[in-house]
């Protein structure tokens, strides 16, 4: 996320930032940092510029200067739309981040929205819709009255879910993603909201889906607690996570992984009686499979009994 793409509001500083990018593209990171620092001397409260300066210092191998620049970016805007604090803590190997700043996730996906589906489907071989379709078939979902697509994005799951739902609702933190989803005209209701702040609805959902969403949230206690309170007694929760070895871990790519034991404990504590956890390939990244879990959970045992998967009782 290059700082020069977000104008400082001062043309002379923007010109220096553009020149810094030219130097960076030529491979001269030290010179690029010097030029961009000159731009920041003109506009010292330019948060995007400080974030980019941190990236340039990191590329030049000066970790201490990168940490200093990212700290300054967070001081300027504590909402941290560029994720500077996360970058800083990852570089310092400080494992204190349990979630990503909502402003960062919103900005990330607002920028990403116009090319989101092309990138996921054509470049990353994203398998979310087929994974969810398979999960729905496995648990024999018939027609449901109400369904929620948590973090619906551009509505990639809309075509999968629409034939099964009397009412299909989607929420997302990014207005850009929701604009793309609205074009598909498959949702009955779309709303911009941070899913970590949802209220329990007056009418419960029979089906809640969250595909490729929780890897941007981190600690899932609050959102899974919401799911437990928002789902009907015989309802079903289906979600995916990127698989990790130990609890909740933030990766350098600024996505979280979740371990199988963490997910099982979380579901048990939230009151989900049974769950099926299956290993899946979520997508490809740099030529490598990204392995995750597809989770199907129920507050009662009925859904999993129909699947014949009695070994996945949460208390065990």
């Amino acid at each position: 996320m290059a700082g020069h793409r977000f104008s400082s509001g001062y043309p002379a500083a923007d010109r220096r930032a553009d020149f810094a990018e030219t130097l960076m593209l030529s491979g001269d990171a030290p010179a690029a940092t010097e030029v961009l620092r000159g731009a920041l001397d003109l506009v010292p409260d330019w948060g995007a510029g400080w974030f980019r300066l941190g990236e340039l210092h990191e590329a030049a191998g000066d970790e201490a200067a990168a940490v200093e620049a990212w700290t300054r970016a967070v001081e300027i805007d504590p909402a941290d739309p560029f994720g500077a604090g996360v970058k800083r803590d990852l570089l310092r190997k400080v494992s204190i981040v349990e979630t990503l700043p909502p402003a960062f996730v919103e900005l990330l996906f607002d920028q990403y929205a116009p090319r989101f589906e092309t990138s996921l489907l054509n470049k990353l071989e994203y398998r979310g819709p087929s994974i969810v379709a398979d999960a729905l078939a496995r648990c024999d979902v018939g027609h449901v009255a109400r369904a929620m697509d948590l973090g619906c994005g551009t509505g990639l799951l809309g075509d999968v879910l629409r034939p099964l739902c009397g009412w299909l609702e989607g929420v997302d933190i990014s207005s850009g993603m929701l604009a793309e989803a609205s074009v598909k005209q498959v949702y009955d209701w779309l709303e911009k909201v941070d899913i970590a702040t949802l209220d329990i609805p007056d009418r419960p959902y029979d089906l809640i889906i969250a595909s490729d969403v929780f890897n941007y949230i981190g600690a899932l206690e609050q959102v899974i607690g919401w799911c437990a309170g928002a789902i009907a007694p015989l309802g079903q929760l289906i979600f995916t996570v990127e698989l990790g070895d130990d609890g909740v871990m933030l990766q350098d790519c600024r996505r979280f992984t979740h371990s199988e034991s963490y997910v099982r404990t979380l579901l048990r504590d939230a009151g989900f009686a049974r769950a099926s956890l299956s290993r899946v390939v979520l997508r490809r990244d740099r030529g490598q499979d990204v392995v995750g879990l597809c989770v199907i959970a129920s507050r009662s045992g009925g859904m999993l009994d129909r699947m014949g998967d009695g070994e996945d009782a949460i208390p065990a």
Side-chain angles (χ1 to χ4, degrees):
M1 186 180 295
H4 75 292
R5 295 177 183 171
F6 299 86
S7 175
S8 67
Y10 192 81
D14 287 349
R15 287 194 295 270
R16 294 192 183 192
D18 286 338
F19 183 46
E21 294 301 322
T22 300
L23 290 169
M24 191 65 190
L25 288 173
S26 71
D28 193 348
T33 60
E34 183 177 350
V35 171
L36 184 54
R37 187 59 187 257
L40 288 164
D41 287 340
L42 299 175
V43 191
D45 290 332
W46 183 23
W50 283 104
F51 175 79
R52 184 57 177 158
L53 181 64
E55 290 186 315
L56 298 188
H57 278 308
E58 182 184 30
D62 191 342
E63 295 187 357
V67 166
E68 181 180 350
W70 288 327
T71 298
R72 179 63 181 139
V74 175
E75 290 172 349
I76 291 169
D77 188 351
D80 197 13
F82 304 104
V86 178
K87 290 277 288 184
R88 175 195 61 200
D89 292 344
L90 282 168
L91 190 62
R92 296 166 59 200
K93 304 294 189 294
V94 177
S95 300
I96 60 174
V97 175
E98 291 189 347
T99 190
L100 295 174
F104 163 68
V105 178
E106 180 177 1
L107 179 59
L108 173 68
F109 284 103
D110 278 348
Q111 291 184 296
Y112 198 17
R115 64 185 191 281
F116 180 76
E117 293 192 13
T118 299
S119 297
L120 275 186
L121 299 177
N122 297 342
K123 297 180 180 179
L124 300 178
E125 301 178 32
Y126 177 61
R127 301 172 188 179
S130 62
I131 290 170
V132 170
D134 179 65
L136 291 167
R138 286 177 59 214
C139 58
D140 193 24
V141 169
H143 192 272
V144 299
R146 288 169 54 80
M148 164 63 82
D149 186 358
L150 280 177
C152 64
T154 60
L156 276 173
L157 295 182
D159 289 336
V160 174
L161 299 174
R162 179 71 274 176
L164 305 174
C165 308
W167 173 270
L168 178 57
E169 190 171 335
V171 296
D172 201 276
I173 198 172
S174 165
S175 57
M177 301 290 268
L178 289 170
E180 298 288 331
S182 68
V183 174
K184 293 182 170 64
Q185 297 185 329
V186 294
Y187 292 88
D188 296 294
W189 182 260
L190 291 168
E191 184 175 3
K192 181 182 182 300
V193 64
D194 179 357
I195 66 176
T197 66
L198 284 169
D199 294 325
I200 300 298
D202 294 331
R203 294 180 57 196
Y205 299 101
D206 305 291
L207 177 64
I208 297 176
I209 306 285
S211 177
D212 201 40
V213 176
F214 292 164
N215 47 317
Y216 292 99
I217 294 180
L220 300 179
E221 283 77 6
Q222 184 171 349
V223 69
I224 294 297
W226 177 87
C227 290
I231 204 164
L234 298 178
Q236 299 163 28
L237 168 65
I238 299 174
F239 64 90
T240 61
V241 294
E242 292 188 25
L243 184 60
D245 296 325
D246 184 22
V248 181
M249 298 294 295
L250 181 62
Q251 306 172 87
D252 289 341
C253 60
R254 290 185 285 181
R255 291 193 303 268
F256 290 94
T257 62
H258 301 84
S259 70
E260 182 173 337
S261 61
Y262 171 81
V263 173
R264 287 188 180 277
T265 300
L266 183 68
L267 291 170
R268 180 196 64 211
D269 292 347
F272 286 93
R274 310 189 77 171
S276 167
L277 281 68
S278 304
R279 293 199 178 199
V280 293
V281 175
L282 299 171
R283 63 183 180 281
R284 300 271 293 174
D285 192 357
R286 297 177 179 86
Q288 301 294 318
D289 288 344
V290 177
V291 178
L293 294 173
C294 178
V295 180
I296 307 171
S298 172
R299 291 176 60 189
S300 70
M303 175 270 293
L304 289 175
D305 286 343
R306 293 198 303 272
M307 293 171 59
D309 196 358
E311 293 183 358
D312 277 332
I314 287 293

